[in-house]
Amino acid sequence: MTPFVSGRGEREWPGPSVASHRREPLFAPSVMQMATRLIHLSSVRGPAIGRPGSGAVLHRSSVAPLRPGYERAKRALDLSVCLLWLPAALVVMAFTALAVLLCDGRPIFFCQQRTGRGGRSFRMYKFRTMVVNAAELKASLAHRNQLSGPDFKLADDPRVTRLGALLRKTSLDEVPQVLNVLRGEMSLVGPRPASFAASTYDLWHIERLEVLPGITGLWQVSGRSDVDFDD
């Protein structure tokens, strides 16, 4: 018997008696997945996730693999590519580090806490592309921010050095993140790790926390930092 969808969002089987009248709620698969594997109140408290000021903060427990076979294969591919590329990466890193040291001085590397899988924070490595006091200058430039939300972007950021602009244009500043991949904190391909905590995420943002963040991904081929976090 073919069911029809009622105005209450339920499938109904028409029939002559109450016994033959059945209802089955319709749920969007993404909502069910979010409810069962993304967000739940747990006795094992993880990083808090929720909209600031919402009053209710949800917590994540440890993230179970969604597709164990796929994730093992992806991890094996990450390690294989990184180990094969590591000799060349070390040479590139050595020359880049020397260039940063000679042009901009110390520190050579920029290390920042980023939000990774499951909302856990990890230390991400990059070559420094800005002046040393960039964090202090950010507050004075906040009114020029071109992106919404917690993201920050300036077309001509005065904090970026001349060498830093070249490193960013060629993505050479990201090469040290091969170390994050080897440590299992990142993948070669995945959503870019945010520099703000998971507690600032809206509920619909958190699906990106199911997977490891990546060195490259859709964001970088779709406009890079010209694209809002919501997009």
Side-chain angles (χ1 to χ4, degrees), residues 1-4 11-23:
M1 186 175 295
T2 303
F4 66 92
R11 288 196 186 98
E12 297 187 4
W13 282 261
S17 65
V18 175
S20 62
H21 188 75
R22 300 170 54 195
R23 292 184 178 90

Side-chain angles (χ1 to χ4, degrees), residues 134-193:
E136 289 76 11
L137 295 175
K138 182 177 179 179
S140 63
L141 298 169
H143 65 285
R144 295 172 54 188
N145 186 15
Q146 297 173 329
L147 299 179
S148 61
D151 279 325
F152 187 84
K153 164 70 177 178
L154 295 178
D156 292 313
D157 197 325
R159 302 173 301 164
V160 179
T161 65
R162 292 181 61 183
L163 176 62
L166 176 62
L167 295 180
R168 288 185 170 205
K169 185 176 181 179
T170 57
S171 294
L172 287 175
D173 60 320
E174 312 283 0
V175 175
Q177 289 160 37
V178 68
L179 302 177
N180 291 113
V181 176
L182 293 174
R183 288 160 57 101
E185 298 162 335
M186 293 180 65
S187 177
L188 291 175
V189 179
R192 286 296 293 169

